[in-house]
Amino acid sequence: MEHIRAHVLLCAGTGCISSGSKKVEAAFQREVARKGLIDEIKIVETGCHGFCEMGPIVIVYPEGVFYCHVKEEDVAEIVDSHLYKGRIVERLLYREPISHEKIINYNEINFYKKQKRMVLANCGHISPEVIEDYIAAGGYEALGQALTKMTPEQVIDEVKVSGLRGRGGGGFPTGMKWEFAKKAAGDQKYVICNADEGDPGAFMDRSVLEGDPHRVLEGMAVCGYAIGASEGIIYVRAEYPLAIKRLKVAIAQAEEMGFIGKHIFGSDFDFKVKIKEGAGAFVCGEETALLASIEGQRGMPRSRPPFPAISGLWGKPTNINNVETFANVPQIIVNGGEWYASIGTEKSKGTKVFALTGKINNTGLAEVPMGITMREIIYEIGGGILNGKKFKAVQIGGPSGGCLPESMLDLPVDYDSLIQAGAMMGSGGLVVMDEDTCMVDVAKFFVNFTQSESCGKCTPCREGTKRMLEILTNITEGKGKKGDIELLQQLAKNIKATALCGLGQTAPNPVLSTMRYFMDEYEAHINEKRCPAGVCSHLSGYSITENCKGCGLCKQVCPVTAISGEVKSRHSIDQEKCIKCGACMGKCPFKAIRKG
Ligand SMILES: Cc1cc2nc3c(=O)[nH]c(=O)nc-3n(C[C@H](O)[C@H](O)[C@H](O)COP(=O)(O)O)c2cc1C
Ligand code: SF4
Ligand code: SF4
Ligand code: SF4
Ligand code: FES
């Protein structure tokens, strides 16, 4: 008889697959067979753990030993040493970035310790392609409870009590939205899951769909029951092939088990789910553009009202929620709205998943309770700034969001505080920037993004973002002039007030927030033709400071003989000759060469 004594959880999320987890898995199958352990060791493919830069990740249970950067050639040692002799392979353990302390157990890693993984609870711990794993973790209990013990009104009330707000960016109260769709008159209603995730660097929704697709299906089915919809559509970008594959598997399994289909749990409730693949335009994440795209039209936003709850897909009442919003629903039904409302702040309940990226030691997905401070996210979960550099800013909320400076690090992360500070929660992108970042260049990057993603339907966004981009480009190229700041502010105000959809209305946010907190950098670029961070190539040069001891090392490495000076006296750089390669700066033992 089979007696499983250890489980090897192998991450098969997109990140780990790209760093070779499939080869690692094949090696485990081989080595476990070679040792005759097939009946004792179970190898399980899981979704993403949110720590993809450590991939491929392998966790061995029951101990919960976390191995990172595992290669095919490491597997024989894990099997021989750990699985056969019970000795942990220390060289493959995770090390904390600053203390370099080796950590054995998954739960002891700082990156995970401070997190509150509710939406991501199953990601990395169950096999996303095995419905029994989801059921064993409490899956489909919420749907059963809703259909057999609750009326649709009670379901909506529970979601209202929970205080859940939409995780797709706007933060609209979910229960209220469901109530509008329920009350709307219509013979046919739709539930749509917005999985068009397009913010640069964001991969929260992809990770949930790849790691725990049934949770999203269950949330959609509960919503369908609550509002009286018999059809659900998942609008997912075609660039997420693994998420699509796992969703297809999940839908087929849920149909087979009767969680989707006709007379679910013996009730009168029927619900089917389809997938619609999006072609990747950022604007198609906007709900009215998304509806147009599903209907086969060009993905362009339209003005609201009417809101989709009243007139949505094919003119029928439609409820649209984000992936993470739906993924929150099952636990609210099972544990109750009040339980959920006990987590977070007064007006922002529950948790939020962030994609931590940029100049930070631990990059990855972090699910945290609302109200946590930015400092806790960046320093305790993120492990601080890369290479011991100084923190400069954090960009939160993607292209619609804003950049917050060091003085805002103790700001509680919730919908309202972020808006007051000039940023927004957005869908959860969090980019950390260090002292080497130019904030004007950052603003230019985001305006360039929104400008190229603008659908062109309305003038303020189409033309306004183009003008903003021109001005920012001029500033970073040393052609900034008096009046540019005022012009940017005026343009930003007008675009925000008059653009048709959220893309245009929020496009000026990165510019406004960088001007609010980093005006000195704009002024240095415009008035002194200087980029303080040394990023803007037209404005940056290298210079030798009074710390120079005249050792001559820089002179030796300069490829264009731009450096001159006598031994033991201060050297200088001929700016006409210098090609800005930076070689001298790296060579100077006295840190006497400055960039900027
Ligand atoms: C330009 C633009 C892009 C958007 N992209 C997304 C997206 O990728 N995913 C998403 O859930 N919401 C996105 N939204 C927000 C949606 O329009 C909508 O508000 C959201 O899907 C509602 O779900 P929620 O209430 O659960 O947040 C976008 C909005 C705009 C203006
Ligand atoms: S604001 Fe921009 S993206 Fe939105 S409708 Fe207008 S042009 Fe299109
Ligand atoms: S940056 Fe390069 S080219 Fe310029 S002075 Fe230094 S070594 Fe020479
Ligand atoms: S390497 Fe540094 S100290 Fe030596 S000459 Fe160059 S700038 Fe001066
Ligand atoms: S894909 Fe493996 S940790 Fe993200």
Side-chain angles (χ1 to χ4, degrees), residues 542 554 557-563 573 577-585:
Y542 290 83
C554 56
V557 294
C558 179
V560 290
T561 59
I563 301 178
I573 296 175
K577 280 189 179 175
C578 174
I579 55 164
K580 297 170 185 161
C581 70
C584 52
M585 195 171 168

Side-chain angles (χ1 to χ4, degrees), residues 543-545 547-555 563 566 569-571 584 587-593:
S543 57
I544 296 180
T545 69
N547 293 340
C548 172
K549 305 278 185 248
C551 70
L553 284 175
C554 56
K555 200 154 85 173
I563 301 178
E566 297 300 319
S569 67
R570 182 172 170 181
H571 284 42
C584 52
K587 202 72 189 171
C588 177
F590 304 100
K591 296 202 179 334
I593 301 183

